Amino acid sequence: MEQLLEIQHLSVGFHTRRGLLQALNDVSLTIRPGETVCLVGESGSGKTITSKAVMRLLDYENGRITNGQIRLGGIDLTALSQNELRSLRGKKMAMVFQEPMSAFDPVYTIGYQIVETIRTHDSKSKEEAWEHAVSLLERVGIPEPRIRMKQYPGELSGGMLQRAMIALALSCGPELLIADEPTTALDVTIQAQILQLLQELKEEFRMSILLITHDLGIAAEVADRVVVMYAGRVVEQAPTAELFKQPHHPYSQGLLQSVASLDTEKGERLHSIEGAIPSLSALPDGCLFHPRCPYATEKCRAEVPPLVFENGRESACWHTQELLRSSAANDDRPKSAKSEAFTAQSGLRTAESNMVLETVELQLIEAAAVDVPDLFQISGLRKYYPVKRRGFPGRARPYIRAVDDVSFTIRRGETFGLVGESGSGKSTLGRVLLQLEAATSGQIRFGDQEITKLGSSALRRARKDMQMIFQDPYGALDPRWTVGDIIGEPLGVHERLSTMEKRNRVAELLASVGLDASYATRYPHEFSGGQRQRIGIARAIALKPKFILADEAVSALDVSVQAQVVNLLQDLQAKMGLTYLFIAHGLQVVRHISDRIGVMYLGKLVEIAPSHELFLHPAHPYTKALIASIPDMSPGAKKAHTVLQGEIPSPARPPSGCRFHTRCPLATAKCREEEPDLNAIAAEHSVACHFPF
Amino acid sequence: MVGAVIGRMFTSLLVVAGSSVLVFVILYLLPGDPVNSLLDPTFATSEQIASLRHQLGVDQPLHVQLADYFGKLLHGDFGNSLLNSEPVLPRILSQFPATLALAAASAVVAVVIGVLLGVLSAIHRNKPIDVIARIVGLLGISMPAFWSGILLLLVFSIHLGWLPTMGSNGWKTLVLPSITLGLIGAGFLVRMIRNSMLEVVNEHFIVTLRSKGLSERSIMYRHALRNALIPAVTMIGMLVGEMLAGAVVIETVFARQGIGRIIADAIMAKDLPVVQGVIFFSAIIYVSVNLIVDISYSFIDPRVRRAT
C-alpha cells in the first residue's frame, strides 16, 4: 500500500563538545494515509527527536541527520534545503506541542498567529484568512471564536489554547499531523476531550497522525499501530490490539506492567523496570536494554538484536520466543474476582462478580472502621485569596475561594488520596494542612493539637511531624548543596547530632530509599529524576515524621520509575507507620496507593469514599466523569464516552447552588439554586449531590 | 487602565516630592555656608553676615526653610540665584533646549546602535558581527565619557578638523557630544538586547513558528525582537537618567550650554537655589519619561495590559 510517511534507517546525531552524540540509530517506521501511529517510550528514548527530524527542526538545535531517508508523499525531506522545507512545514505537515501555554507567541493575538500561517502558505486575502481562522476555531470547539481571535494567548486556558493550537496546525490542511505529547500538560477531563477531537478531525481532514506519548492508555485508545522506542532505537512495532494482548519485547512488556491499572491491588507491589534509561553518552554494548532486562543472556550483552519482521509486527529481541512461552503459562492462571470486576467497570459488568465483590467490600469497610484514631481532623476549613481590587470602591471585595468549607479526617497510618482537576484547590488544601499558608477560617487538629492558632516556635516543633514531597524533583533540591547536606539539614534544625552521628543517619536514610551511601557527597544534578525524588523522600523521612504530604510526587516521572517510587512509598509506610496525603491527577496511581479518596471540585469536597468503593460505585456525577476520562488500557473496548464537557469555572465566581451544575448532565433547577451538603450514603461513603447514583 | 495610569501619576508625584526633600536636606547638611561665597568673612562684619543670612532665610530652622521652599515651588517659583539674584526657572528653561537636543540625539545613537547590534549579534551568535557587538558593548559601558569625549575631540576635531571642538550652535556641534553620550547607552542596550534575544530564541513558541513554515526573517524581526524589546524598554527609561547625569560631564568637556553646565557651575559656586532647581527639574523629567515608558509597556506587552 502507498505510504504517506516513510522513515528508513534514520540516524541522528547531535554536535556536542565531546563530538557527535548518536541520538537515533537506524529508526524505520511508516505511516499510511489516514493512519494513527503512536510512538511510545520513556523520556530519553528518542520520540521527540524522531518527530523533529521529520519536520527537520533538528537543524536549529545542532542536530544532524547522519544516515537514512524520510519520505513524505514521495519527497525525500532529508535532501531538501531549509527554504524548500519551509513551504512544506505548516502546509503538508504540521505539529502540535506539549505545552500549549508556551507554544504561542505571547505578544500577538491568537487570530494574528493563525492568519499569519494561512497567509504564509495560501494566497488568501486578510479577510478570507480571518474568516477561515474563525471557522477553524469554531470547528475545534472554541466558544465565541470571534472574540477569541482577538485575545492573547495568556487570556485562554490550557485546554482552549491546545484547541487553538490544533486549529493552527489544521489551517492549511496538512496530510500529516505530528502531535508531541499533546495532552500531557492537561487535566484528564480535557485530555479526553482533546483526544476525541483529534480522532474526529483525522477523519474529517483525511490526515495521518503521528502521536507521541508516554501514556500507554492514550496509545491503546487512539492508535492503529504502536511503535515502542528505547534509547534511540525502535524495539517493537505492532498493531495496537496485538501489542497490548501480547508484547514481543521485554521492554514493552515491562512498560505495560508498570502502569497502575484499575485492577492492581492496594498494597500489592507495582511491577517496575529496574534501573533507568541509559544516557546517550554511555550506551551499553549489545542490546541496549540488557542491563534492565530480566531475560538478558550473554548473547544480549554482546550482539545487537536485529528488528525482525514477522506476521505484520516487528521486534528486536533475541528471546521473543521465550517471552511468549512464559507469558502463555501465566495466562492459564485464573483471573481474580476483583480484576474481573474492574474489567466490568469498562462495560462488561457481570452480576455475580459484583455480588461477590460487594460482600468483600463490606467486610473490608467494617474491618477498617474499627476505631482507628484520627491524625488530622479538619472542620469548616476555608482558604480565600483576595483578588486585586478592580472597578468601583464600595463593592464587595472579590475572593478566590480556593478551599471553601471543607471537613474531613485523615486516619493514622492510612493514605488519603485527593483528586480533582487543576483549579479544584487540592494543592492549596495540602499547603494549609501543613500550615505553610494560614487558613482563612476553620479548624485543623493534628494529633491532639489545634494547629491553626500555634505560635511560630510551637509550629516549628509541630512541623517535625509533618513533611512534604514535591512534584518537581529538579526544583525541590538546592543545586549548590550536596545530597548529604540536603538530607541532613532537617536533622540540624530539630536534633542535636555530632557530625559523625549525622553522617551515619544520612547513610541510613539513603539506604532506606534504595540509594548508595556514597551518594551523600554528590550534587543533585548528577542524578536522574527518579533518584532525585528518592533524595526528596529521604529528606522527608529524616525526622521520622508522622505525616507526609505528597503533592503530585510521581507525576513528573516516567511510568517505570513512577512504579519504583510508589513501591518505595508503600514500603516506607509499612515500615515507619506513616500517614500520607497523596495529591495527584493520575487517577490510577491514586487508586492504587490510597485507602480512601476525596474528590475536590472548585474548593469543595464533593465525595469521600474508600478507594475501591469510589471507583466501583462513584456516587457523584463529577467522580463518574473523572473515572470515565481515564484512557482505557484495553484497546478495542471503546467505552461509551461520557466525556465531561467544558472546563472548570473560575473559583473567583463559582456557580450558584451545586458548583458542578454547569457541567453536570443531570442538573436540575434544584441543583442551580440549592447547595448540596456532604451526606453519608453508606458507611464510609459521603457525597455532596442532590441526586447521587 | 485609566485608573492605573492615574495611580502611576500619583506615585510619580510622590517620587518627585520625596527626591526634592531628600536633596534639600542633603544640601542643608553639607558643610560650607553659602553666605561665605557671597561675602568674604575677612572683610564683612558679623552684622552684615547676619543680615544677609536673614535676607536669604538660611537662619531659619530646617522645617521652616523646607516649607518656605515648597510653598514657593507650588507657585512655580524656584527661587533666585545667590550669585546674581536671577530667577532660577527662566534660566533653566532657556538652557534646557540645548540639553534636550543633546539627550535626544544621544538617545537616537544609543537605540539605533544598541538595538541593531544587539539583534544582529544574537542572530549571528559567535560570528564576527557578534564579536564586534560585544566589543562595542564592553567599551560603551566601561569608557568614562570625559575620556572618550576627549579622545573623539582629538581625532575628529583637532587632527582631522572635520567637526568643531566646542559650542552649541548648529548640528555639527552636536555630533561628537551625542556620540560620546550615546555610546554609553548603546553599550548597555547591546548587551541587554543580545541576552534577551538569546533567551527568546530558546522559547517553545519559536519552534512553533518554525513548524508553521515562517521564514527566519519574520521569526526574528516580527516575533523574537518584539518579545526581546519588552525588558529593553525599561532600560531605555533608565537611560534617560544616565543621559542627564552624562550631560553634566559632556557639556563641560565640549563647552556646550545646557542644564548640565548650569548645575556644574552652580555646584562650584555653592549656588544652592540653582543646584536645587536643576535637580528638581531633572527629577520631573526623569519621572515623566519613566511614566511614559510604563504606559507604553502595555502597548508592547498584552500581559501587562491585562494586569493593570
Side-chain angles (χ1 to χ4, degrees):
Chain A
M1 199 185 293
E2 185 68 24
Q3 304 288 354
L4 174 71
L5 179 74
E6 249 184 304
I7 302 178
Q8 284 172 339
H9 309 294
L10 179 70
S11 296
V12 166
F14 282 89
H15 294 288
T16 64
R17 256 177 274 166
R18 277 174 290 169
L20 201 69
L21 206 61
Q22 196 75 15
L24 289 187
N25 207 328
D26 199 16
V27 168
S28 298
L29 69 93
T30 58
I31 303 180
R32 284 192 298 274
E35 196 180 22
T36 303
V37 172
C38 267
L39 218 49
V40 301
E42 291 167 282
S43 35
S45 58
K47 309 182 299 274
T48 297
I49 296 175
T50 308
S51 71
K52 285 193 171 165
V54 174
M55 295 290 281
R56 282 279 306 277
L57 291 169
L58 281 180
D59 300 32
Y60 296 100
E61 296 171 18
N62 279 329
R64 206 159 57 100
I65 294 173
T66 51
N67 191 27
Q69 286 187 328
I70 304 169
R71 289 180 181 281
L72 180 75
I75 308 164
D76 184 2
L77 299 178
T78 56
L80 298 184
S81 71
Q82 281 296 337
N83 253 332
E84 292 164 314
L85 283 163
R86 216 160 276 147
S87 60
L88 296 179
R89 279 187 209 133
K91 175 76 184 164
K92 286 203 142 191
M93 49 184 183
M95 205 159 170
V96 175
F97 299 89
Q98 174 169 1
E99 297 273 349
M101 296 293 194
S102 57
F104 279 99
D105 185 339
V107 302
Y108 287 98
T109 59
I110 301 289
Y112 179 93
Q113 298 187 51
I114 299 178
V115 168
E116 181 184 41
T117 316
I118 298 174
R119 292 186 27 103
T120 304
H121 296 290
D122 298 340
S123 54
K124 282 189 175 160
S125 72
K126 254 190 186 140
E127 290 71 30
E128 283 169 341
W130 188 269
E131 283 311 309
H132 183 48
V134 171
S135 68
L136 281 168
L137 287 185
E138 193 157 23
R139 176 59 198 92
V140 297
I142 292 182
E144 303 174 285
R146 277 173 205 283
I147 298 174
R148 306 287 167 236
M149 286 286 280
K150 291 185 187 140
Q151 284 185 317
Y152 290 89
E155 298 174 75
L156 269 61
S157 68
M160 282 299 145
L161 280 177
Q162 197 60 301
R163 285 172 193 270
M165 195 72 218
I166 292 171
L168 177 82
L170 295 179
S171 60
C172 295
E175 291 165 29
L176 173 68
L177 180 71
I178 300 177
D180 188 352
E181 304 268 10
T183 58
T184 307
L186 307 172
D187 278 313
V188 279
T189 50
I190 309 298
Q191 165 170 297
Q193 294 173 5
I194 298 281
L195 290 177
Q196 200 180 20
L197 176 69
L198 280 176
Q199 293 285 74
E200 290 169 18
L201 293 170
K202 186 182 87 166
E203 308 280 317
E204 233 176 280
F205 286 74
R206 289 193 215 95
M207 30 174 212
S208 309
I209 296 181
L210 176 63
L211 187 89
I212 295 170
T213 180
H214 68 278
D215 185 338
L216 291 158
I218 293 178
E221 200 149 287
V222 303
D224 298 312
R225 248 168 348 110
V226 177
V227 177
V228 184
M229 291 188 73
Y230 185 77
R233 283 174 182 270
V234 172
V235 294
E236 179 160 9
Q237 212 238 90
T240 311
E242 290 179 36
L243 181 88
F244 280 82
K245 200 167 143 218
Q246 177 58 66
H248 280 192
H249 194 283
Y251 179 60
S252 326
Q253 188 188 35
L255 280 182
L256 282 173
Q257 290 172 344
S258 302
V259 179
S261 66
L262 288 180
D263 39 42
T264 52
E265 281 282 350
K266 151 87 184 164
E268 184 182 300
R269 292 179 67 82
L270 284 175
H271 178 90
S272 65
I273 309 174
E274 287 309 311
I277 201 161
S279 104
L280 292 174
S281 54
L283 289 179
D285 290 331
C287 172
L288 297 177
F289 187 58
H290 85 252
R292 301 173 73 188
C293 183
Y295 302 91
T297 58
E298 236 5 89
K299 192 175 184 186
C300 303
R301 281 183 267 278
E303 288 173 65
V304 181
L307 199 60
V308 181
F309 185 82
E310 206 187 319
N311 298 333
R313 52 192 295 184
E314 292 174 308
S315 164
C317 179
W318 294 118
H319 302 296
T320 298
Q321 292 313 318
E322 286 159 50
L323 189 135
L324 292 182
R325 271 198 299 278
S326 79
S327 49
N330 275 345
D331 255 9
D332 295 337
R333 188 185 63 181
K335 279 191 170 176
S336 69
K338 193 140 261 181
S339 74
E340 282 285 326
F342 280 111
T343 339
Q345 182 62 28
S346 34
L348 305 156
R349 172 169 296 179
T350 54
E352 297 93 318
S353 67
N354 251 336
M355 293 279 284
V356 177
L357 195 83
E358 272 173 19
T359 9
V360 175
E361 281 289 321
L362 278 175
Q363 285 161 357
L364 279 176
I365 290 163
E366 279 158 17
V370 182
D371 285 342
V372 188
D374 293 331
L375 184 65
F376 261 116
Q377 279 179 313
I378 294 107
S379 57
L381 191 68
R382 285 187 173 82
K383 178 68 192 174
Y384 291 0
Y385 295 101
V387 187
K388 226 176 159 184
R389 187 190 285 272
R390 169 202 292 246
F392 302 100
R395 219 163 51 176
R397 193 178 168 89
Y399 287 98
I400 300 236
R401 299 160 187 219
V403 175
D404 203 359
D405 194 10
V406 165
S407 306
F408 68 108
T409 56
I410 300 176
R411 296 181 193 134
R412 222 172 267 275
E414 80 169 344
T415 302
F416 191 90
L418 207 53
V419 298
E421 291 165 282
S422 30
S424 60
K426 316 185 288 290
S427 292
T428 308
L429 177 58
R431 286 200 303 270
V432 175
L433 285 195
L434 259 59
Q435 288 296 300
L436 295 173
E437 292 187 44
T440 307
S441 69
Q443 279 94 45
I444 304 169
R445 286 193 77 77
F446 178 67
D448 42 17
Q449 216 173 9
E450 160 69 40
I451 55 171
T452 50
K453 304 278 186 300
L454 287 185
S456 58
S457 62
L459 189 59
R460 264 162 65 107
R461 279 195 298 279
R463 286 241 166 87
K464 190 170 176 283
D465 289 327
M466 321 185 247
Q467 296 290 315
M468 190 167 175
I469 307 169
F470 300 88
Q471 170 170 15
D472 175 12
Y474 295 86
L477 305 176
D478 187 332
R480 314 236 180 276
W481 280 38
T482 63
V483 168
D485 288 341
I486 290 171
I487 297 174
E489 192 183 25
L491 296 172
V493 174
H494 290 281
E495 289 174 31
R496 287 193 182 168
L497 297 178
S498 70
T499 316
M500 199 57 209
E501 285 169 320
K502 198 161 146 185
R503 198 177 303 153
N504 290 338
R505 281 285 293 279
V506 168
E508 274 168 39
L509 286 165
L510 278 170
S512 64
V513 295
L515 294 176
D516 199 277
S518 68
Y519 289 176
T521 53
R522 299 208 206 161
Y523 288 89
H525 71 263
E526 299 173 61
F527 298 94
S528 69
Q531 286 172 318
R532 286 184 213 205
Q533 204 58 305
R534 285 171 192 267
I535 294 168
I537 293 171
R539 174 174 60 185
I541 61 172
L543 295 168
K544 303 197 173 72
K546 296 192 181 100
F547 175 78
I548 290 182
L549 167 64
D551 190 353
E552 302 276 8
V554 298
S555 312
L557 306 173
D558 276 312
V559 272
S560 72
V561 183
Q562 205 171 53
Q564 294 171 9
V565 173
V566 167
N567 288 339
L568 173 66
L569 286 173
Q570 292 195 326
D571 292 347
L572 289 172
Q573 181 169 41
K575 213 160 67 188
M576 305 176 61
L578 290 168
T579 305
Y580 291 133
L581 176 61
F582 193 86
I583 301 176
H585 65 272
L587 267 72
Q588 298 101 312
V589 181
V590 178
R591 189 197 138 292
H592 175 83
I593 200 172
S594 306
D595 298 289
R596 293 190 304 142
I597 296 178
V599 182
M600 276 191 92
Y601 187 76
L602 271 182
K604 291 271 183 194
L605 261 178
V606 296
E607 186 165 3
I608 303 177
S611 145
H612 287 165
E613 168 78 4
L614 187 86
F615 276 77
L616 260 185
H617 308 295
H620 198 284
Y622 181 59
T623 314
K624 205 176 166 75
L626 276 184
I627 295 171
S629 306
I630 303 171
D632 205 320
M633 282 287 285
S634 47
K638 291 285 175 211
K639 56 193 168 195
H641 262 292
T642 44
V643 172
L644 196 55
Q645 297 301 316
E647 299 188 0
I648 194 163
S650 157
R653 274 163 281 117
S656 62
C658 170
R659 294 188 177 180
F660 186 58
H661 84 253
T662 52
R663 297 167 81 191
C664 184
L666 309 170
T668 64
K670 187 180 180 192
C671 301
R672 275 188 287 279
E673 285 149 21
E674 228 178 284
E675 191 171 328
D677 292 325
L678 192 65
N679 288 322
I681 53 166
E684 294 285 292
H685 193 162
S686 309
V687 64
C689 180
H690 292 306
F691 309 103
F693 290 110
Chain B
M1 179 74 202
V2 176
V5 171
I6 292 172
R8 290 305 310 238
M9 288 171 106
F10 183 70
T11 42
S12 301
L13 271 180
L14 280 183
V15 170
V16 171
S19 63
S20 46
V21 170
L22 199 66
V23 170
F24 196 94
V25 173
I26 289 172
L27 289 181
Y28 177 86
L29 292 174
L30 277 184
D33 192 335
V35 175
N36 291 351
S37 56
L38 295 176
L39 291 174
D40 193 330
T42 41
F43 299 111
T45 62
S46 56
E47 287 80 36
Q48 282 176 311
I49 292 178
S51 99
L52 186 62
R53 292 182 75 93
H54 183 72
Q55 200 187 323
L56 295 174
V58 291
D59 55 343
Q60 303 284 335
L62 176 63
H63 65 273
V64 177
Q65 288 190 38
L66 199 60
D68 188 41
Y69 180 72
F70 272 94
K72 284 185 176 163
L73 264 190
L74 288 178
H75 293 95
D77 181 1
F78 279 45
N80 297 333
S81 162
L82 293 181
L83 290 183
N84 49 19
S85 309
E86 219 184 302
V88 173
L89 186 59
R91 182 143 169 243
I92 292 174
L93 290 178
S94 73
Q95 302 285 297
F96 181 61
T99 304
L100 184 65
L102 173 66
S106 312
V108 170
V109 171
V111 170
V112 169
I113 296 181
V115 173
L116 207 66
L117 276 186
V119 171
L120 286 177
S121 75
I123 296 175
H124 305 282
R125 198 180 177 182
N126 296 331
K127 301 272 163 54
I129 182 84
D130 184 23
V131 176
I132 293 172
R134 274 146 66 183
I135 291 173
V136 170
L138 188 66
L139 289 181
I141 58 173
S142 47
M143 283 194 309
F146 60 83
W147 186 76
S148 55
I150 290 171
L151 209 65
L152 287 175
L153 272 179
L154 267 176
V155 176
F156 292 98
S157 305
I158 295 169
H159 283 289
L160 297 170
W162 291 352
L163 294 161
T165 53
M166 54 166 68
S168 40
N169 302 314
W171 66 270
K172 276 191 174 175
T173 60
L174 201 57
V175 176
L176 288 183
S178 57
I179 289 177
T180 313
L181 194 49
L183 265 183
I184 298 174
F188 279 106
L189 275 178
V190 167
R191 298 179 138 216
M192 172 103 205
I193 293 197
R194 178 175 186 271
N195 284 346
S196 72
M197 274 294 275
L198 288 177
E199 239 166 68
V200 173
V201 168
N202 280 324
E203 299 266 356
H204 289 301
F205 69 81
I206 299 289
V207 184
T208 312
L209 295 171
R210 291 203 173 110
S211 80
K212 300 198 313 192
L214 291 193
S215 67
E216 277 304 293
R217 188 209 299 258
S218 32
I219 292 174
M220 288 303 158
Y221 291 96
R222 210 185 301 159
H223 290 275
L225 180 58
R226 185 159 166 195
N227 279 279
L229 277 183
I230 294 168
V233 169
T234 332
M235 181 82 194
I236 290 171
M238 295 197 287
L239 272 181
V240 172
E242 207 63 34
M243 300 275 160
L244 288 173
V248 176
V249 175
I250 298 287
E251 287 173 359
T252 310
V253 169
F254 290 91
R256 287 177 57 83
Q257 293 187 329
I259 58 171
R261 188 69 181 283
I262 297 179
I263 197 171
D265 293 344
I267 290 171
M268 295 298 173
K270 289 218 167 62
D271 193 348
L272 295 189
V274 177
V275 175
Q276 181 84 53
V278 174
I279 291 176
F280 183 71
F281 189 80
S282 308
I284 291 176
I285 303 286
Y286 184 70
V287 166
S288 319
V289 170
N290 278 288
L291 180 66
I292 293 169
V293 165
D294 279 356
I295 295 169
S296 72
Y297 231 61
S298 65
F299 289 98
I300 304 173
D301 190 350
R303 288 165 295 189
V304 174
R305 205 176 313 163
R306 250 191 347 275
T308 49

